[in-house]
Amino acid sequence: MTSVLSLIISIFFLVQPSELEIAIPDSIEIVIAAIDSGSSSDLAKYFDSSVSLNVNGLQGDYSKNQAELVLKDFFKKNPSMGFNLVFRSENNPSLSSYIGDYQTGQGVFKVFIKVSQQASDFRIYSLEFVKG
């Protein structure tokens, strides 16, 4: 009887995806959607407490709230015409990098996103929008 119970429990754990496997793709997809829609408030939900930000030459380390205001101004001046992720580097489980193209009426901006992952905590610690 105990061997049958052990078998059932083993199968249950093999079939269940781990929380970490779910958190990373879902989080980056939400970040991509926030950039695509030009939503600084949705994007700021994933900022670390301090964010290294470069928005077309305006560089610095900002608090979460300050970074949101800088991006709100950027998105207002450069409304989104689409965002396309072109590169993923997810080799290191705790640090990942992404590169994308942010389309606006004024041209294309390369976007560099760096995130840290601790358990299920997904945080952007560096973000750059550089006109290409």
Side-chain angles (χ1 to χ4, degrees):
M1 179 76 164
T2 58
S3 62
V4 173
L5 182 60
S6 296
L7 179 63
I8 291 172
I9 291 172
S10 297
I11 291 172
F12 176 77
F13 284 116
L14 287 174
V15 173
Q16 294 296 314
S18 75
E19 190 174 313
L20 184 59
E21 291 172 344
I22 294 170
I24 294 173
D26 287 349
S27 297
I28 196 60
E29 295 305 321
I30 293 170
V31 168
I32 291 167
I35 294 171
D36 187 43
S37 66
S39 176
S40 59
S41 60
D42 288 345
L43 191 55
K45 292 176 186 175
Y46 294 93
F47 287 164
D48 207 346
S49 57
S50 175
V51 181
S52 176
L53 192 62
N54 176 6
V55 179
N56 207 23
L58 181 63
Q59 289 183 280
D61 291 328
Y62 297 90
S63 71
K64 187 176 186 172
N65 293 336
Q66 290 171 325
E68 180 180 353
L69 291 174
V70 171
L71 285 173
K72 183 177 183 176
D73 185 56
F74 172 77
F75 288 143
K76 185 177 179 182
K77 292 177 181 175
N78 301 282
S80 176
M81 295 179 73
F83 179 71
N84 182 35
L85 195 65
V86 296
F87 176 78
R88 293 175 183 249
S89 175
E90 298 171 331
N91 296 335
N92 184 336
S94 61
L95 299 172
S96 300
S97 299
Y98 305 90
I99 300 173
D101 292 325
Y102 179 75
Q103 307 279 332
T104 71
Q106 291 76 31
V108 178
F109 289 83
K110 281 286 183 202
V111 181
F112 302 91
I113 308 164
K114 295 181 182 176
V115 301
S116 63
Q117 178 82 24
Q118 299 296 328
S120 64
D121 192 26
F122 177 92
R123 294 286 169 230
I124 298 170
Y125 67 88
S126 178
L127 182 63
E128 297 183 49
F129 285 79
V130 180
K131 191 151 189 180

